[in-house]
Amino acid sequence: MTYIALGEHNLCDEHICCAISDKKCAQGYQLKKDWLGQQFASGYQFIKLDERAKVFIEFGPAEAGWAPVVAPRHLLVNCFWVSGKYKGQGHGKALLAKAVEAAEQAGADGLVTIAGARKMPFLSDGKWFKQQGFEVCDGSPDGIELLRLGVGGVGGSVSFSESVQKGTGLSGEGLVAYYSNRCPFTDHHVTQNLKEAAQRRGLPLKIVHLDTMEKAQSAPTPATIFSLYWSGRFVTTDLSVCMDSRFDKIMQKALNEKVSIEAV
């Protein structure tokens, strides 16, 4: 198994795996590359299989992470994906080992990652991480957990930021979508599809673009790739809710309502 580490020297020439063939998200793909290029200076790493495949891991110092976590001397594991025919071949463990090795070399106390207490789209697979030795250190009111793995038996205190526990900025009526350019899919689906879906239903929509590290670190949601709220209530991290054909079903299921969202 051969893996490639992306950096300033090869970022322009290498694909970033997750949006290989989605032409609708071409702009978002470039925005993700631009975002990556800005993170390398802080020690961010993107390691992928040397294939045209969705097999990769991203991680970097939690102090410079684009998420509301307090985890000094830890590396924050962000996107981590092994898909399709590449599952079951040991890639997940091999890539996680790369992050553990990087933590050891950096003298870090451990790794942290953000996952759903149950499986949630665009978040790490918490069950798998727990099987690898990660433990729950904190949780949000929305059912999102902060997991930690110590390196070399070293302990450490980590938590979500105060903004998560207080739900800072979540009051008010209507839809509120938080997103960042950490994912190549978000720009198109949030700024175009979700806007159109909300307009068709006459629903108020506020879009919060987490376009700086400071905004991401003070966000009320740990899921800074994408989170959708309705009148202050968490709805989903599933970006497909932005699609007109999926909007009503996901909203109704998430909010446990018996009436369609058009009647709200």
Side-chain angles (χ1 to χ4, degrees):
M1 295 183 289
T2 302
Y3 301 100
I4 297 174
L6 298 190
E8 294 179 358
H9 66 291
N10 63 355
L11 182 59
C12 291
D13 301 322
E14 294 288 342
H15 69 80
I16 55 171
C17 306
C18 40
I20 294 173
S21 58
D22 195 333
K23 295 181 179 179
K24 299 188 302 297
C25 298
Q27 178 174 310
Y29 186 86
Q30 186 57 52
L31 289 171
K32 170 63 184 281
K33 277 202 165 186
D34 293 343
W35 180 86
L36 274 175
Q38 296 167 4
Q39 306 312 305
F40 292 137
S42 66
Y44 201 78
Q45 296 192 46
F46 185 113
I47 301 174
K48 70 185 188 72
L49 183 66
D50 189 14
E51 297 283 348
R52 193 169 177 80
K54 297 172 184 176
V55 181
F56 66 98
I57 188 171
E58 300 179 44
F59 56 88
E63 294 91 338
W66 282 50
V69 301
V70 180
R73 294 179 55 81
H74 284 73
L75 298 186
L76 173 63
V77 177
N78 287 317
C79 291
F80 188 10
W81 198 352
V82 177
S83 69
K85 66 179 183 181
Y86 296 94
K87 292 182 178 180
Q89 299 181 24
H91 291 298
K93 291 184 178 180
L95 289 170
L96 180 59
K98 298 281 188 184
V100 171
E101 181 182 7
E104 293 172 340
Q105 292 177 349
D109 293 341
L111 304 174
V112 291
T113 195
I114 297 168
R118 54 180 175 78
K119 194 169 183 179
M120 299 173 73
F122 292 87
L123 287 178
S124 294
D125 184 344
K127 181 179 179 181
W128 185 87
F129 273 98
K130 291 170 187 176
Q131 291 172 345
Q132 312 313 310
F134 281 74
E135 297 180 346
V136 179
C137 290
D138 202 358
S140 80
D142 304 329
I144 300 175
E145 297 177 334
L146 181 64
L147 308 181
R148 178 186 181 273
L149 176 71
V151 173
V154 177
S157 177
V158 302
S159 66
F160 285 129
S161 299
E162 188 177 357
S163 60
V164 173
Q165 299 301 339
K166 290 187 174 181
T168 306
L170 290 180
S171 60
E173 297 298 318
L175 294 165
V176 181
Y178 292 85
Y179 85 100
S180 68
N181 295 124
R182 287 178 49 210
C183 172
F185 300 112
T186 53
D187 181 73
H188 172 77
H189 287 296
V190 175
T191 64
Q192 295 187 47
N193 290 348
L194 183 59
K195 273 187 176 181
E196 292 172 0
Q199 288 172 354
R200 288 192 182 100
R201 293 160 177 80
L203 299 174
L205 169 64
K206 177 182 178 181
I207 295 176
V208 181
H209 186 194
L210 303 173
D211 54 357
T212 67
M213 181 182 70
E214 290 75 20
K215 288 181 182 179
Q217 290 185 348
S218 61
T221 171
T224 55
I225 286 180
F226 172 75
S227 294
L228 185 66
Y229 290 79
W230 170 255
S231 297
R233 297 174 60 190
F234 173 72
V235 178
T236 187
T237 60
D238 188 351
L239 193 60
S240 69
V241 72
C242 300
M243 301 178 188
D244 189 67
S245 60
R246 300 285 308 276
F247 183 87
D248 295 314
K249 182 177 181 180
I250 294 176
M251 289 291 292
Q252 290 174 39
K253 179 180 179 181
L255 297 174
N256 196 27
E257 294 177 346
K258 295 182 180 180
V259 294
S260 69
I261 191 62
E262 290 93 332
V264 174

